[in-house]
Amino acid sequence: MPTMGALHAGHMALVRAARSEADHVVASIFVNPTQFGPNEDLTAYPRREAADAEMLEAEGCEILWAPSAEMMYPAGNSTAVSVGGVSEGLDGAARPGHFQGVATVVAKLFNQVQPDAALFGEKDFQQLAVIRRMVADLDLPVRIVGVETQRDADGLALSSRNAYLSEEERRAARALPRALLEAAQAIRSGGDVPEALAEARRTLERAGFDPIDYVALCDAETLAPLASLHAPARLLAAARIGRTRLIDNLALLPG
C-alpha cells in the first residue's frame, strides 16, 4: 500500500481491504518529490510519520517502509518510468511530469517491497489506471486492487489535502461531489454529455472553484474522452478552491 503519509480514514480502509487480500500488510510512506511540479505543494505537504505509524499499527499493518529521498533517488540517479496513453490527458495535461514521477516511484517501491498485491484508492483514478498499465506493460508480478473512494458525511472525498481547506472553503468544496453526482444523473438519464459537463463546470464556478482543470467523461480503462455513455466510464473532475486542488470521480455504466 504506497502512500505519501498524512494518513486518514481512507488510508485505513485500504489497510482493512489489504488484510482481506493477503496474510501480511505493508504500507510505505514517502513524499515523492518527482511527482510535484515547480509551483506545487511539496514543502507544505503534511508530514506526521509518528502519528501515521500509530494509525497503521492500530489497524493491523505489520510493516511500515519509510525510505528517505536519498535512498530513493541516490546520487547519479537517471532512470525514469514513463507510461503513455492513460497518463496523457486530465491530470497528465494539467500537471506535466506528474505521472512519470508516480510511475517511477511506484515501480521502485514494488521492487523494494516485492508485494503480491498493491492497493490504491479509486479517488486518484487516473493514477490507478497508470499503475495498472505500467504493471501490465512491464510484466510486474503484482496484482493491482482498486478500493472504492471513501467520503466524509458531507460527500467530500477523503484526502490529505483537505486539511488545507478553511471552514468556508470546506463548505464550498462540497459542490465538487454534488456537481459530479448531478452530471452523472443527467448522463444516465440520457442527457447530452457536453451539456451535463458544462453544467457541472458552472456549478463549480458558482461555488468559487478557480481554475477548473477539467470535468470529463472518459472510458474507464483507456481514459479516452467519451461523447456518450456506451461503455463503462468515469466522470472525473479537478479544480482548485483557494490554494487547494481537489480531484474526484464517479463510476458510470451504460444501460
PDB file of all heavy atoms in Angstrom, residues 2 105-115 117-118 120 131 134-135 140 142 144:
ATOM      1  N   PRO A   2       1.200   1.812  -1.171  1.00  0.00           N
ATOM      2  CA  PRO A   2       2.044   3.010  -1.217  1.00  0.00           C
ATOM      3  C   PRO A   2       1.247   4.254  -0.824  1.00  0.00           C
ATOM      4  O   PRO A   2       0.134   4.464  -1.297  1.00  0.00           O
ATOM      5  CB  PRO A   2       2.467   3.081  -2.691  1.00  0.00           C
ATOM      6  CG  PRO A   2       2.123   1.751  -3.285  1.00  0.00           C
ATOM      7  CD  PRO A   2       0.958   1.248  -2.502  1.00  0.00           C
ATOM      8  N   VAL A 105       8.349   6.089  -8.963  1.00  0.00           N
ATOM      9  CA  VAL A 105       8.455   5.777  -7.537  1.00  0.00           C
ATOM     10  C   VAL A 105       7.701   4.498  -7.190  1.00  0.00           C
ATOM     11  O   VAL A 105       8.161   3.695  -6.362  1.00  0.00           O
ATOM     12  CB  VAL A 105       7.988   6.958  -6.666  1.00  0.00           C
ATOM     13  CG1 VAL A 105       6.466   7.062  -6.600  1.00  0.00           C
ATOM     14  CG2 VAL A 105       8.567   6.850  -5.262  1.00  0.00           C
ATOM     15  N   VAL A 106       6.566   4.258  -7.827  1.00  0.00           N
ATOM     16  CA  VAL A 106       5.811   3.037  -7.530  1.00  0.00           C
ATOM     17  C   VAL A 106       6.561   1.807  -8.039  1.00  0.00           C
ATOM     18  O   VAL A 106       6.620   0.778  -7.351  1.00  0.00           O
ATOM     19  CB  VAL A 106       4.387   3.113  -8.112  1.00  0.00           C
ATOM     20  CG1 VAL A 106       3.680   1.759  -8.003  1.00  0.00           C
ATOM     21  CG2 VAL A 106       3.571   4.183  -7.382  1.00  0.00           C
ATOM     22  N   ALA A 107       7.179   1.908  -9.213  1.00  0.00           N
ATOM     23  CA  ALA A 107       7.994   0.793  -9.705  1.00  0.00           C
ATOM     24  C   ALA A 107       9.139   0.492  -8.731  1.00  0.00           C
ATOM     25  O   ALA A 107       9.435  -0.682  -8.441  1.00  0.00           O
ATOM     26  CB  ALA A 107       8.543   1.109 -11.096  1.00  0.00           C
ATOM     27  N   LYS A 108       9.769   1.530  -8.201  1.00  0.00           N
ATOM     28  CA  LYS A 108      10.856   1.331  -7.240  1.00  0.00           C
ATOM     29  C   LYS A 108      10.334   0.701  -5.949  1.00  0.00           C
ATOM     30  O   LYS A 108      10.946  -0.209  -5.386  1.00  0.00           O
ATOM     31  CB  LYS A 108      11.556   2.670  -6.954  1.00  0.00           C
ATOM     32  CG  LYS A 108      12.357   3.212  -8.139  1.00  0.00           C
ATOM     33  CD  LYS A 108      12.856   4.632  -7.889  1.00  0.00           C
ATOM     34  CE  LYS A 108      13.953   4.679  -6.851  1.00  0.00           C
ATOM     35  NZ  LYS A 108      15.213   4.088  -7.287  1.00  0.00           N
ATOM     36  N   LEU A 109       9.195   1.183  -5.476  1.00  0.00           N
ATOM     37  CA  LEU A 109       8.619   0.606  -4.255  1.00  0.00           C
ATOM     38  C   LEU A 109       8.243  -0.862  -4.449  1.00  0.00           C
ATOM     39  O   LEU A 109       8.446  -1.690  -3.551  1.00  0.00           O
ATOM     40  CB  LEU A 109       7.404   1.422  -3.816  1.00  0.00           C
ATOM     41  CG  LEU A 109       7.702   2.826  -3.272  1.00  0.00           C
ATOM     42  CD1 LEU A 109       6.420   3.641  -3.147  1.00  0.00           C
ATOM     43  CD2 LEU A 109       8.423   2.760  -1.925  1.00  0.00           C
ATOM     44  N   PHE A 110       7.694  -1.178  -5.619  1.00  0.00           N
ATOM     45  CA  PHE A 110       7.372  -2.584  -5.898  1.00  0.00           C
ATOM     46  C   PHE A 110       8.636  -3.441  -5.866  1.00  0.00           C
ATOM     47  O   PHE A 110       8.636  -4.553  -5.333  1.00  0.00           O
ATOM     48  CB  PHE A 110       6.696  -2.717  -7.253  1.00  0.00           C
ATOM     49  CG  PHE A 110       5.259  -2.258  -7.292  1.00  0.00           C
ATOM     50  CD1 PHE A 110       4.574  -2.159  -8.500  1.00  0.00           C
ATOM     51  CD2 PHE A 110       4.572  -1.935  -6.135  1.00  0.00           C
ATOM     52  CE1 PHE A 110       3.255  -1.767  -8.549  1.00  0.00           C
ATOM     53  CE2 PHE A 110       3.237  -1.521  -6.175  1.00  0.00           C
ATOM     54  CZ  PHE A 110       2.592  -1.435  -7.391  1.00  0.00           C
ATOM     55  N   ASN A 111       9.714  -2.947  -6.439  1.00  0.00           N
ATOM     56  CA  ASN A 111      10.974  -3.713  -6.431  1.00  0.00           C
ATOM     57  C   ASN A 111      11.531  -3.856  -5.018  1.00  0.00           C
ATOM     58  O   ASN A 111      12.102  -4.892  -4.663  1.00  0.00           O
ATOM     59  CB  ASN A 111      11.997  -3.030  -7.334  1.00  0.00           C
ATOM     60  CG  ASN A 111      11.740  -3.288  -8.799  1.00  0.00           C
ATOM     61  OD1 ASN A 111      11.182  -4.319  -9.171  1.00  0.00           O
ATOM     62  ND2 ASN A 111      12.147  -2.354  -9.646  1.00  0.00           N
ATOM     63  N   GLN A 112      11.375  -2.827  -4.199  1.00  0.00           N
ATOM     64  CA  GLN A 112      11.919  -2.864  -2.842  1.00  0.00           C
ATOM     65  C   GLN A 112      11.111  -3.777  -1.918  1.00  0.00           C
ATOM     66  O   GLN A 112      11.674  -4.533  -1.133  1.00  0.00           O
ATOM     67  CB  GLN A 112      11.950  -1.442  -2.271  1.00  0.00           C
ATOM     68  CG  GLN A 112      12.947  -0.531  -2.970  1.00  0.00           C
ATOM     69  CD  GLN A 112      12.698   0.936  -2.693  1.00  0.00           C
ATOM     70  OE1 GLN A 112      11.721   1.303  -2.037  1.00  0.00           O
ATOM     71  NE2 GLN A 112      13.555   1.809  -3.215  1.00  0.00           N
ATOM     72  N   VAL A 113       9.796  -3.710  -2.017  1.00  0.00           N
ATOM     73  CA  VAL A 113       8.924  -4.427  -1.084  1.00  0.00           C
ATOM     74  C   VAL A 113       8.528  -5.808  -1.609  1.00  0.00           C
ATOM     75  O   VAL A 113       8.286  -6.728  -0.837  1.00  0.00           O
ATOM     76  CB  VAL A 113       7.675  -3.579  -0.768  1.00  0.00           C
ATOM     77  CG1 VAL A 113       6.707  -4.325   0.136  1.00  0.00           C
ATOM     78  CG2 VAL A 113       8.089  -2.252  -0.118  1.00  0.00           C
ATOM     79  N   GLN A 114       8.443  -5.952  -2.938  1.00  0.00           N
ATOM     80  CA  GLN A 114       8.062  -7.221  -3.564  1.00  0.00           C
ATOM     81  C   GLN A 114       6.680  -7.705  -3.091  1.00  0.00           C
ATOM     82  O   GLN A 114       6.516  -8.834  -2.631  1.00  0.00           O
ATOM     83  CB  GLN A 114       9.115  -8.296  -3.279  1.00  0.00           C
ATOM     84  CG  GLN A 114      10.495  -8.004  -3.843  1.00  0.00           C
ATOM     85  CD  GLN A 114      10.542  -8.214  -5.365  1.00  0.00           C
ATOM     86  OE1 GLN A 114      10.322  -9.303  -5.871  1.00  0.00           O
ATOM     87  NE2 GLN A 114      10.848  -7.146  -6.071  1.00  0.00           N
ATOM     88  N   PRO A 115       5.649  -6.877  -3.215  1.00  0.00           N
ATOM     89  CA  PRO A 115       4.312  -7.295  -2.755  1.00  0.00           C
ATOM     90  C   PRO A 115       3.652  -8.246  -3.745  1.00  0.00           C
ATOM     91  O   PRO A 115       3.945  -8.232  -4.952  1.00  0.00           O
ATOM     92  CB  PRO A 115       3.549  -5.971  -2.705  1.00  0.00           C
ATOM     93  CG  PRO A 115       4.173  -5.159  -3.808  1.00  0.00           C
ATOM     94  CD  PRO A 115       5.645  -5.515  -3.782  1.00  0.00           C
ATOM     95  N   ALA A 117       0.259  -8.127  -3.890  1.00  0.00           N
ATOM     96  CA  ALA A 117      -0.828  -7.257  -4.318  1.00  0.00           C
ATOM     97  C   ALA A 117      -0.557  -5.857  -3.797  1.00  0.00           C
ATOM     98  O   ALA A 117       0.087  -5.678  -2.762  1.00  0.00           O
ATOM     99  CB  ALA A 117      -2.170  -7.759  -3.800  1.00  0.00           C
ATOM    100  N   ALA A 118      -1.037  -4.853  -4.512  1.00  0.00           N
ATOM    101  CA  ALA A 118      -0.906  -3.462  -4.082  1.00  0.00           C
ATOM    102  C   ALA A 118      -2.265  -2.786  -4.216  1.00  0.00           C
ATOM    103  O   ALA A 118      -2.949  -2.953  -5.229  1.00  0.00           O
ATOM    104  CB  ALA A 118       0.134  -2.727  -4.911  1.00  0.00           C
ATOM    105  N   PHE A 120      -4.739   0.621  -4.149  1.00  0.00           N
ATOM    106  CA  PHE A 120      -4.782   2.055  -4.420  1.00  0.00           C
ATOM    107  C   PHE A 120      -6.236   2.513  -4.355  1.00  0.00           C
ATOM    108  O   PHE A 120      -7.141   1.824  -4.831  1.00  0.00           O
ATOM    109  CB  PHE A 120      -4.228   2.381  -5.811  1.00  0.00           C
ATOM    110  CG  PHE A 120      -2.766   2.098  -5.970  1.00  0.00           C
ATOM    111  CD1 PHE A 120      -2.321   0.815  -6.268  1.00  0.00           C
ATOM    112  CD2 PHE A 120      -1.827   3.107  -5.828  1.00  0.00           C
ATOM    113  CE1 PHE A 120      -0.968   0.535  -6.421  1.00  0.00           C
ATOM    114  CE2 PHE A 120      -0.468   2.842  -5.978  1.00  0.00           C
ATOM    115  CZ  PHE A 120      -0.040   1.565  -6.272  1.00  0.00           C
ATOM    116  N   ILE A 131      -0.916   2.982 -13.039  1.00  0.00           N
ATOM    117  CA  ILE A 131      -0.228   1.868 -12.379  1.00  0.00           C
ATOM    118  C   ILE A 131      -0.641   0.545 -13.007  1.00  0.00           C
ATOM    119  O   ILE A 131       0.204  -0.336 -13.240  1.00  0.00           O
ATOM    120  CB  ILE A 131      -0.522   1.879 -10.864  1.00  0.00           C
ATOM    121  CG1 ILE A 131      -0.009   3.168 -10.217  1.00  0.00           C
ATOM    122  CG2 ILE A 131       0.108   0.655 -10.198  1.00  0.00           C
ATOM    123  CD1 ILE A 131       1.441   3.481 -10.476  1.00  0.00           C
ATOM    124  N   MET A 134       1.199   0.263 -16.307  1.00  0.00           N
ATOM    125  CA  MET A 134       2.624   0.004 -16.108  1.00  0.00           C
ATOM    126  C   MET A 134       2.861  -1.456 -15.724  1.00  0.00           C
ATOM    127  O   MET A 134       3.765  -2.116 -16.268  1.00  0.00           O
ATOM    128  CB  MET A 134       3.165   0.913 -15.005  1.00  0.00           C
ATOM    129  CG  MET A 134       4.638   0.666 -14.673  1.00  0.00           C
ATOM    130  SD  MET A 134       5.215   1.634 -13.245  1.00  0.00           S
ATOM    131  CE  MET A 134       4.425   0.741 -11.895  1.00  0.00           C
ATOM    132  N   VAL A 135       2.076  -1.977 -14.788  1.00  0.00           N
ATOM    133  CA  VAL A 135       2.243  -3.352 -14.336  1.00  0.00           C
ATOM    134  C   VAL A 135       2.015  -4.331 -15.491  1.00  0.00           C
ATOM    135  O   VAL A 135       2.767  -5.296 -15.653  1.00  0.00           O
ATOM    136  CB  VAL A 135       1.285  -3.633 -13.154  1.00  0.00           C
ATOM    137  CG1 VAL A 135       1.152  -5.124 -12.889  1.00  0.00           C
ATOM    138  CG2 VAL A 135       1.782  -2.920 -11.907  1.00  0.00           C
ATOM    139  N   LEU A 140       5.085  -6.906 -14.399  1.00  0.00           N
ATOM    140  CA  LEU A 140       5.423  -6.911 -12.974  1.00  0.00           C
ATOM    141  C   LEU A 140       4.500  -7.881 -12.236  1.00  0.00           C
ATOM    142  O   LEU A 140       3.282  -7.867 -12.443  1.00  0.00           O
ATOM    143  CB  LEU A 140       5.278  -5.503 -12.390  1.00  0.00           C
ATOM    144  CG  LEU A 140       6.171  -4.425 -13.023  1.00  0.00           C
ATOM    145  CD1 LEU A 140       5.930  -3.083 -12.354  1.00  0.00           C
ATOM    146  CD2 LEU A 140       7.638  -4.810 -12.939  1.00  0.00           C
ATOM    147  N   VAL A 142       2.654  -8.188  -9.731  1.00  0.00           N
ATOM    148  CA  VAL A 142       1.893  -7.542  -8.661  1.00  0.00           C
ATOM    149  C   VAL A 142       0.436  -7.440  -9.117  1.00  0.00           C
ATOM    150  O   VAL A 142       0.165  -6.985 -10.229  1.00  0.00           O
ATOM    151  CB  VAL A 142       2.427  -6.127  -8.353  1.00  0.00           C
ATOM    152  CG1 VAL A 142       1.682  -5.516  -7.175  1.00  0.00           C
ATOM    153  CG2 VAL A 142       3.916  -6.135  -8.101  1.00  0.00           C
ATOM    154  N   ILE A 144      -2.948  -5.526  -8.886  1.00  0.00           N
ATOM    155  CA  ILE A 144      -3.371  -4.184  -8.509  1.00  0.00           C
ATOM    156  C   ILE A 144      -4.853  -4.210  -8.139  1.00  0.00           C
ATOM    157  O   ILE A 144      -5.688  -4.682  -8.913  1.00  0.00           O
ATOM    158  CB  ILE A 144      -3.117  -3.182  -9.647  1.00  0.00           C
ATOM    159  CG1 ILE A 144      -1.641  -3.199 -10.052  1.00  0.00           C
ATOM    160  CG2 ILE A 144      -3.545  -1.777  -9.222  1.00  0.00           C
ATOM    161  CD1 ILE A 144      -0.677  -2.871  -8.933  1.00  0.00           C
TER     162      ILE A 144
END
